[in-house]
Amino acid sequence: MPVEARWFIAWAMGRSESARILRFAAIGGLSTLIYAVLTLALSDRHGLGTSVTIASMAGYGAGAVFSYCGHRFVTFMSDGAVGFEIPRFAVATATGFLLSLALAAVLTDVAGLSPSVPVVLSCVLVPALNFVLLRKFVFVAASP
C-alpha cells in the first residue's frame, strides 16, 4: 500500500474534527442511501404501491438502525453508556424523522409533488441537523 494511502487511512481513523466529519459523511451517506432507496422502492409512484409517507417511515427506520451503530462505533468512537446514548439518539432520530415525515406528507401527499422532492430535501436537511445533535447531544462522552 502506498505511503499516501496509509497516511490517509491513519488520518481518517483519527480523532480530529475533520476526520470525524469525513466519517460522519460516510456513515450518514450510507444511512441516507438506505433511506432513499427503501422509500422509493416502497412508494406507490416508484415501487411496491405503499404511500410515500409510510414508505418514508420504513426507510427512515432502517437507516436509523444503521446510523446508530455506524456513528457510535465509527464516527464518534464512543465509549459512553449505551443506556445514556440510545434514548438521546432516539430523540435526535425522532427530530430528523419528523422533519422527513413532514416533508413527505406536505410535499407529496398534500402538494402532489413527486416523492423525489421530499427525499432529496430530507437527504440534505436531516444529515446537517443530525451532525449537530449527535455531536452536542448524543455522543458527548466521545473524545474530542
Side-chain angles (χ1 to χ4, degrees):
M1 180 181 301
V3 173
E4 295 82 8
R6 285 191 304 240
W7 175 86
F8 177 77
I9 291 168
W11 170 80
M13 294 312 296
R15 295 248 181 217
S16 72
E17 194 66 13
S18 57
R20 189 180 322 272
I21 291 169
L22 175 69
R23 293 190 306 268
F24 175 82
I27 296 298
L30 289 172
S31 298
T32 301
L33 185 61
I34 290 168
Y35 160 73
V37 168
L38 191 54
T39 299
L40 293 174
L42 294 175
S43 71
D44 55 359
R45 294 187 187 168
H46 292 290
L48 299 177
T50 306
S51 80
V52 73
T53 302
I54 300 299
S56 181
M57 290 169 54
Y60 202 89
V65 171
F66 177 84
S67 178
Y68 175 76
C69 294
H71 290 312
R72 175 173 168 77
F73 298 112
V74 177
T75 302
F76 297 100
M77 298 179 199
S78 178
D79 56 1
V82 172
F84 173 84
E85 292 176 348
I86 287 181
R88 286 174 172 246
F89 183 83
V91 169
T93 299
T95 303
F97 169 74
L98 291 174
L99 175 58
S100 70
L101 187 61
L103 289 169
V106 171
L107 297 176
T108 303
D109 295 344
V110 175
L113 298 175
S114 166
S116 301
V117 174
V119 168
V120 168
L121 286 173
S122 291
C123 290
V124 173
L125 297 175
V126 172
L129 175 64
N130 277 345
F131 184 80
V132 173
L133 292 175
L134 294 180
R135 182 75 177 109
K136 302 293 183 184
F137 180 66
V138 177
F139 298 111
V140 294
S143 300

